[in-house]
Amino acid sequence: MSFSLTLEFTLQQGEFSVEIDERIEADAIALYGPSGAGKTTVLEAVAGLRQPERGRIAVGDRTLFGSDNGVDVPARHRCIGYVPQEVALFPHMNVRQNVTYGAHGAPMEDLARVLAVLDLEPLVERRVEQLSGGEQKRTAIARALMAGSRMLLLDEPLSALDVALQRRVMQYLVRVHDEFNIPMLYVSHRADEVLMLTDWVVQLDNGCVMASGPSKDILPRV
Amino acid sequence: MADDVWQVAVFTLTMAVVATLVMLPPGIVLAWLFARHRFRGFTALETLVMLPLVIPPVATGLILLRLFGRRGLFGRVAESVGLEVIFTWKAVILAMAVMGLPLLVRAARGAFEQVDRRYEQIAASLGAGPLRIFFTVSLPMAGRGVLAGVLLAFSRAVGEFGATMMLAGNMPGSTRTIASGIYFYTEVGNDAAATSLMLASIVIAFGSLWFSNRLARP
């Protein structure tokens, strides 16, 4: 499912600033670049967790932030599922409680489908501290999906995992993308992930866009 | 333990429990405000709440007496609705709550500050409003520290003396607490009753402080 994303904003974060001016029509978009490039800052601005100084952020024709007309949709009304790099599952809840936190009376079939796609059924009663790194990532993805998200923001979902787990979680991400047909904005510093999961890449460095275009054209083959 | 000593101990515990329940809502709200927000008058409010920790308890009692006395700001309001506060059990609760509040706020504030804001941000991104975030994320995650503060405030309430004496007096059967009882029985030379109350206060304080310290440990 192709979607359009407008990222035209300036965001100051202490000494560091991010300037981006992109209108993209794609299926899954990657923010690619080294650590400290500003990828997570852009993601958090889209999620509504950081407020740009000026500019516009829109998904399709829905403006989430617009300094010209004073629009700033609160994070809780953006309907954007955010999976942060550190996962941040609620430690006092089990898997089921985490996954259904933002579900707002979603039908049981939705929950069953999400749990099935991410192979979480056997884990639903487990507490967060009993989960492996990969299981925690899958739970966080399920939680974001169950929140009725119209878009998924994934911040380095394969970080802090060993190679075998990275491969498994990657398979789950491909499954989620195929099954739920949900637009994705994917942050990574690894070209192979970006090429496998996204069709458009915005390459960032030091808060500036270095390149933007189809993933296969921008990134060297891995 | 003699009947009147037993009655004083039970009365003190009951009043301390009620005072703790009374200070809980404002204490938690203030702790959360201090931990998460900066606003105009922040330092003034913070200082005001903490003031009973550092001024003599009898001074706090005197302030409360002026406020809740017949000609006081709140006293007149209370009187107009037929509520008598001064020198009643309600005054005991009021004095205990005011003296215990700073300890509750201090401990609970520390606990809220320890909760990574990231969890609250994620809850917001999942569609939760501020109240839901508070009750489902912030408060449960700060729970142990808040409970430690509750126990600390309860212990303080049990041992309260100066403010209670000023505001409620030391009337047997209606406002006499463990602390004022120890003072009274020592004054009249009833060493056995004073010692019994002293031991009761040590047992209660030791128990609640022990739990509080255990909970405060990570």
Side-chain angles (χ1 to χ4, degrees):
Chain A
M1 187 182 99
S2 182
F3 77 112
S4 72
L5 179 66
T6 306
L7 299 171
E8 301 167 344
F9 64 84
T10 306
L11 194 152
Q12 194 73 33
Q13 197 184 338
E15 298 286 293
F16 183 72
S17 77
V18 171
E19 281 197 51
I20 190 163
D21 187 1
E22 294 290 321
R23 278 183 201 200
I24 307 153
E25 187 88 26
D27 192 19
I29 300 163
L31 296 170
Y32 170 76
S35 293
K39 308 182 296 288
T40 299
T41 306
V42 173
L43 213 62
E44 290 184 344
V46 176
L49 306 179
R50 283 187 196 280
Q51 192 184 42
E53 265 64 45
R54 59 186 172 278
R56 182 168 180 260
I57 298 171
V59 179
D61 52 9
R62 184 173 180 236
T63 301
L64 301 175
F65 175 84
S67 55
D68 287 349
N69 42 11
V71 174
D72 187 11
V73 178
R76 68 178 191 274
H77 293 143
R78 291 198 177 192
C79 299
I80 287 179
Y82 178 40
V83 182
Q85 191 172 352
E86 74 281 15
V87 182
L89 292 175
F90 304 125
H92 54 294
M93 299 180 191
N94 64 21
V95 170
R96 183 193 298 278
Q97 289 163 332
N98 264 285
V99 171
T100 56
Y101 186 84
H104 307 302
M108 284 303 287
E109 305 87 71
D110 287 3
L111 175 64
R113 187 167 165 231
V114 168
L115 293 176
V117 169
L118 288 157
D119 280 341
L120 285 170
E121 292 116 321
L123 309 176
V124 286
E125 299 307 326
R126 286 222 196 138
R127 296 197 68 79
V128 169
E129 72 265 17
Q130 297 172 311
L131 301 176
S132 69
E135 289 165 346
Q136 289 193 13
K137 299 268 180 187
R138 278 150 54 199
T139 305
I141 295 165
R143 181 175 66 175
L145 282 169
M146 281 304 293
S149 307
R150 294 177 200 166
M151 182 183 180
L152 213 50
L153 308 181
L154 298 157
D155 192 356
E156 305 261 12
L158 305 188
S159 67
L161 299 177
D162 62 41
V163 178
L165 264 180
Q166 282 182 6
R167 213 168 293 143
R168 283 204 66 194
V169 174
M170 176 63 94
Q171 286 166 358
Y172 282 112
L173 288 173
V174 173
R175 262 167 91 173
V176 164
H177 191 224
D178 294 345
E179 283 279 330
F180 296 100
N181 210 9
I182 186 169
M184 277 185 185
L185 185 57
Y186 187 93
V187 159
S188 179
H189 63 278
R190 284 179 43 178
D192 56 338
E193 285 174 33
V194 169
L195 275 169
M196 192 176 284
L197 272 170
T198 67
D199 56 339
W200 192 278
V201 63
V202 178
Q203 190 176 358
L204 288 166
D205 196 9
N206 205 22
C208 299
V209 176
M210 309 307 288
S212 177
S215 305
K216 58 184 185 316
D217 297 343
I218 298 286
L219 295 170
R221 286 277 173 200
V222 179
Chain B
M1 211 185 283
D3 275 357
D4 53 343
V5 170
W6 183 247
Q7 186 275 329
V8 168
V10 171
F11 173 76
T12 307
L13 276 178
T14 312
M15 293 297 103
V17 167
V18 177
T20 308
L21 292 174
V22 165
M23 70 178 108
L24 206 52
I28 288 177
V29 169
L30 285 167
W32 180 78
L33 269 180
F34 292 156
R36 285 288 185 254
H37 295 277
R38 290 292 175 272
F39 47 86
R40 225 179 144 92
F42 176 91
T43 310
L45 182 63
E46 191 186 21
T47 309
L48 191 70
V49 172
M50 293 298 153
L51 213 53
L53 272 186
V54 288
I55 63 171
V58 284
T60 305
L62 185 60
I63 293 166
L64 291 174
L65 195 59
R66 296 269 157 85
L67 286 172
F68 286 88
R70 284 203 169 154
R71 281 177 290 171
L73 183 65
F74 303 124
R76 272 179 293 183
V77 178
E79 203 175 14
S80 69
V81 293
L83 195 69
E84 211 177 314
V85 178
I86 303 301
F87 300 115
T88 67
W89 59 269
K90 291 164 221 131
V92 177
I93 290 170
L94 182 64
M96 286 178 168
V98 170
M99 295 303 294
L101 187 73
L103 291 172
L104 168 61
V105 171
R106 216 165 146 161
R109 176 190 179 165
F112 282 123
E113 281 171 345
Q114 300 267 309
V115 176
D116 191 338
R117 275 172 190 249
R118 198 71 173 149
Y119 293 105
E120 292 162 351
Q121 289 182 331
I122 295 301
S125 80
L126 293 166
L131 263 185
R132 181 158 183 244
I133 294 172
F134 177 77
F135 283 110
T136 59
V137 177
S138 316
L139 190 57
M141 289 183 73
R144 281 171 70 96
V146 171
L147 198 55
V150 167
L151 287 169
L152 212 56
F154 170 77
S155 311
R156 180 70 188 82
V158 170
E160 212 319 281
F161 176 68
T164 311
M165 283 292 277
M166 290 295 287
L167 201 62
N170 176 32
M171 288 176 282
S174 63
T175 65
R176 180 170 293 165
T177 61
I178 289 177
S180 59
I182 292 173
Y183 179 77
F184 169 76
Y185 288 126
T186 308
E187 279 277 283
V188 298
N190 187 346
D191 282 348
T195 307
S196 299
L197 283 178
M198 178 195 73
L199 289 173
S201 72
I202 289 173
V203 169
I204 296 164
F206 186 88
S208 45
L209 276 179
W210 185 81
F211 271 118
S212 175
N213 288 334
R214 275 205 65 138
L215 285 167
R217 223 184 295 153

Short mmCIF file of all heavy atoms in Angstrom, two decimals, chain B residues 86-114:
data_model
loop_
_atom_site.label_atom_id
_atom_site.label_comp_id
_atom_site.label_asym_id
_atom_site.label_seq_id
_atom_site.Cartn_x
_atom_site.Cartn_y
_atom_site.Cartn_z
N ILE B 86 -11.56 22.06 65.82
CA ILE B 86 -10.60 22.24 66.91
C ILE B 86 -10.99 21.44 68.15
O ILE B 86 -12.15 21.41 68.54
CB ILE B 86 -10.51 23.75 67.26
CG1 ILE B 86 -10.12 24.57 66.04
CG2 ILE B 86 -9.52 24.02 68.39
CD1 ILE B 86 -8.81 24.19 65.42
N PHE B 87 -9.97 20.81 68.76
CA PHE B 87 -10.14 20.00 69.97
C PHE B 87 -11.13 18.83 69.79
O PHE B 87 -11.85 18.47 70.71
CB PHE B 87 -10.52 20.87 71.18
CG PHE B 87 -9.47 21.90 71.45
CD1 PHE B 87 -9.73 23.26 71.31
CD2 PHE B 87 -8.18 21.51 71.82
CE1 PHE B 87 -8.73 24.20 71.53
CE2 PHE B 87 -7.18 22.46 72.04
CZ PHE B 87 -7.45 23.79 71.89
N THR B 88 -11.15 18.30 68.58
CA THR B 88 -11.93 17.08 68.32
C THR B 88 -10.99 16.08 67.61
O THR B 88 -9.86 16.44 67.25
CB THR B 88 -13.13 17.33 67.40
OG1 THR B 88 -12.63 17.67 66.09
CG2 THR B 88 -14.01 18.46 67.90
N TRP B 89 -11.48 14.87 67.37
CA TRP B 89 -10.67 13.88 66.66
C TRP B 89 -10.30 14.36 65.25
O TRP B 89 -9.30 13.95 64.68
CB TRP B 89 -11.39 12.53 66.62
CG TRP B 89 -12.75 12.56 65.95
CD1 TRP B 89 -13.94 12.77 66.56
CD2 TRP B 89 -13.03 12.41 64.56
NE1 TRP B 89 -14.97 12.75 65.64
CE2 TRP B 89 -14.44 12.52 64.41
CE3 TRP B 89 -12.26 12.17 63.42
CZ2 TRP B 89 -15.07 12.43 63.16
CZ3 TRP B 89 -12.87 12.06 62.18
CH2 TRP B 89 -14.26 12.19 62.06
N LYS B 90 -11.15 15.27 64.70
CA LYS B 90 -10.86 15.78 63.34
C LYS B 90 -9.57 16.60 63.35
O LYS B 90 -8.79 16.60 62.40
CB LYS B 90 -12.02 16.63 62.82
CG LYS B 90 -13.26 15.80 62.53
CD LYS B 90 -14.50 16.68 62.42
CE LYS B 90 -15.67 16.02 63.09
NZ LYS B 90 -16.43 16.85 63.99
N ALA B 91 -9.35 17.30 64.46
CA ALA B 91 -8.13 18.09 64.60
C ALA B 91 -6.90 17.18 64.68
O ALA B 91 -5.82 17.51 64.16
CB ALA B 91 -8.21 18.97 65.85
N VAL B 92 -7.08 16.02 65.31
CA VAL B 92 -5.97 15.06 65.39
C VAL B 92 -5.58 14.62 63.97
O VAL B 92 -4.41 14.61 63.59
CB VAL B 92 -6.37 13.82 66.24
CG1 VAL B 92 -5.24 12.79 66.26
CG2 VAL B 92 -6.75 14.23 67.65
N ILE B 93 -6.60 14.29 63.18
CA ILE B 93 -6.35 13.85 61.80
C ILE B 93 -5.68 14.97 61.00
O ILE B 93 -4.71 14.74 60.27
CB ILE B 93 -7.67 13.41 61.13
CG1 ILE B 93 -8.15 12.12 61.78
CG2 ILE B 93 -7.49 13.22 59.63
CD1 ILE B 93 -9.54 11.71 61.38
N LEU B 94 -6.20 16.18 61.16
CA LEU B 94 -5.66 17.32 60.42
C LEU B 94 -4.18 17.53 60.75
O LEU B 94 -3.34 17.67 59.85
CB LEU B 94 -6.48 18.59 60.75
CG LEU B 94 -6.08 19.86 60.03
CD1 LEU B 94 -6.30 19.72 58.52
CD2 LEU B 94 -6.89 21.05 60.55
N ALA B 95 -3.87 17.53 62.04
CA ALA B 95 -2.48 17.75 62.46
C ALA B 95 -1.58 16.64 61.93
O ALA B 95 -0.49 16.89 61.40
CB ALA B 95 -2.40 17.82 63.98
N MET B 96 -2.05 15.40 62.05
CA MET B 96 -1.25 14.26 61.55
C MET B 96 -1.02 14.37 60.04
O MET B 96 0.08 14.11 59.55
CB MET B 96 -1.97 12.95 61.87
CG MET B 96 -1.93 12.52 63.32
SD MET B 96 -2.87 10.98 63.51
CE MET B 96 -2.38 10.48 65.15
N ALA B 97 -2.07 14.72 59.32
CA ALA B 97 -1.98 14.79 57.86
C ALA B 97 -1.01 15.88 57.41
O ALA B 97 -0.17 15.67 56.53
CB ALA B 97 -3.36 15.02 57.25
N VAL B 98 -1.12 17.05 58.05
CA VAL B 98 -0.23 18.16 57.66
C VAL B 98 1.23 17.83 57.98
O VAL B 98 2.13 18.14 57.20
CB VAL B 98 -0.68 19.47 58.37
CG1 VAL B 98 0.35 20.57 58.19
CG2 VAL B 98 -2.02 19.92 57.82
N MET B 99 1.45 17.15 59.10
CA MET B 99 2.82 16.83 59.48
C MET B 99 3.39 15.67 58.66
O MET B 99 4.60 15.58 58.45
CB MET B 99 2.89 16.49 60.97
CG MET B 99 2.56 17.64 61.90
SD MET B 99 3.59 19.09 61.64
CE MET B 99 5.19 18.48 62.16
N GLY B 100 2.53 14.77 58.21
CA GLY B 100 3.01 13.62 57.45
C GLY B 100 3.16 13.90 55.96
O GLY B 100 3.97 13.26 55.27
N LEU B 101 2.38 14.87 55.48
CA LEU B 101 2.36 15.16 54.03
C LEU B 101 3.75 15.39 53.40
O LEU B 101 4.05 14.81 52.35
CB LEU B 101 1.44 16.37 53.76
CG LEU B 101 1.20 16.67 52.29
CD1 LEU B 101 0.27 15.65 51.66
CD2 LEU B 101 0.60 18.08 52.12
N PRO B 102 4.62 16.20 54.02
CA PRO B 102 5.92 16.44 53.38
C PRO B 102 6.73 15.16 53.17
O PRO B 102 7.41 15.03 52.14
CB PRO B 102 6.65 17.36 54.36
CG PRO B 102 5.63 17.89 55.28
CD PRO B 102 4.48 16.95 55.27
N LEU B 103 6.63 14.23 54.10
CA LEU B 103 7.39 12.98 53.95
C LEU B 103 6.83 12.14 52.81
O LEU B 103 7.60 11.56 52.03
CB LEU B 103 7.35 12.18 55.26
CG LEU B 103 8.13 12.80 56.41
CD1 LEU B 103 7.86 12.04 57.70
CD2 LEU B 103 9.61 12.80 56.11
N LEU B 104 5.51 12.12 52.70
CA LEU B 104 4.89 11.39 51.60
C LEU B 104 5.29 12.01 50.26
O LEU B 104 5.71 11.32 49.33
CB LEU B 104 3.36 11.40 51.76
CG LEU B 104 2.54 10.94 50.56
CD1 LEU B 104 2.86 9.49 50.20
CD2 LEU B 104 1.04 11.05 50.84
N VAL B 105 5.17 13.35 50.18
CA VAL B 105 5.48 14.05 48.92
C VAL B 105 6.94 13.83 48.54
O VAL B 105 7.25 13.55 47.38
CB VAL B 105 5.17 15.56 49.06
CG1 VAL B 105 5.68 16.34 47.86
CG2 VAL B 105 3.66 15.77 49.22
N ARG B 106 7.81 13.92 49.51
CA ARG B 106 9.24 13.77 49.22
C ARG B 106 9.58 12.39 48.65
O ARG B 106 10.27 12.27 47.65
CB ARG B 106 10.02 14.00 50.51
CG ARG B 106 11.32 14.70 50.29
CD ARG B 106 11.80 15.17 51.62
NE ARG B 106 13.25 15.10 51.63
CZ ARG B 106 13.98 15.78 52.48
NH1 ARG B 106 13.41 16.55 53.36
NH2 ARG B 106 15.27 15.69 52.43
N ALA B 107 9.06 11.36 49.32
CA ALA B 107 9.37 9.99 48.87
C ALA B 107 8.69 9.70 47.53
O ALA B 107 9.30 9.12 46.63
CB ALA B 107 8.91 9.00 49.92
N ALA B 108 7.43 10.11 47.40
CA ALA B 108 6.70 9.81 46.16
C ALA B 108 7.27 10.60 44.98
O ALA B 108 7.35 10.09 43.86
CB ALA B 108 5.22 10.14 46.35
N ARG B 109 7.70 11.81 45.24
CA ARG B 109 8.32 12.61 44.17
C ARG B 109 9.56 11.90 43.62
O ARG B 109 9.74 11.79 42.41
CB ARG B 109 8.70 13.99 44.72
CG ARG B 109 9.41 14.84 43.71
CD ARG B 109 9.99 16.08 44.34
NE ARG B 109 10.69 16.87 43.36
CZ ARG B 109 11.04 18.12 43.54
NH1 ARG B 109 10.76 18.73 44.66
NH2 ARG B 109 11.69 18.76 42.61
N GLY B 110 10.39 11.43 44.53
CA GLY B 110 11.59 10.68 44.12
C GLY B 110 11.21 9.47 43.28
O GLY B 110 11.85 9.17 42.28
N ALA B 111 10.14 8.80 43.69
CA ALA B 111 9.70 7.61 42.97
C ALA B 111 9.21 7.97 41.56
O ALA B 111 9.52 7.29 40.59
CB ALA B 111 8.59 6.91 43.75
N PHE B 112 8.46 9.07 41.44
CA PHE B 112 7.97 9.49 40.11
C PHE B 112 9.14 9.93 39.23
O PHE B 112 9.13 9.69 38.03
CB PHE B 112 6.96 10.63 40.24
CG PHE B 112 5.59 10.18 40.66
CD1 PHE B 112 4.98 10.68 41.79
CD2 PHE B 112 4.90 9.24 39.92
CE1 PHE B 112 3.73 10.26 42.20
CE2 PHE B 112 3.64 8.80 40.30
CZ PHE B 112 3.05 9.32 41.45
N GLU B 113 10.14 10.57 39.84
CA GLU B 113 11.29 11.02 39.05
C GLU B 113 12.08 9.84 38.49
O GLU B 113 12.74 9.95 37.46
CB GLU B 113 12.20 11.91 39.91
CG GLU B 113 11.65 13.32 40.02
CD GLU B 113 12.38 14.19 41.03
OE1 GLU B 113 13.14 13.65 41.86
OE2 GLU B 113 12.17 15.41 41.01
N GLN B 114 12.00 8.71 39.20
CA GLN B 114 12.73 7.51 38.74
C GLN B 114 12.04 6.84 37.54
O GLN B 114 12.66 6.05 36.85
CB GLN B 114 12.79 6.48 39.86
CG GLN B 114 13.48 6.96 41.11
CD GLN B 114 14.94 6.58 41.12
OE1 GLN B 114 15.26 5.43 40.90
NE2 GLN B 114 15.81 7.54 41.32
#
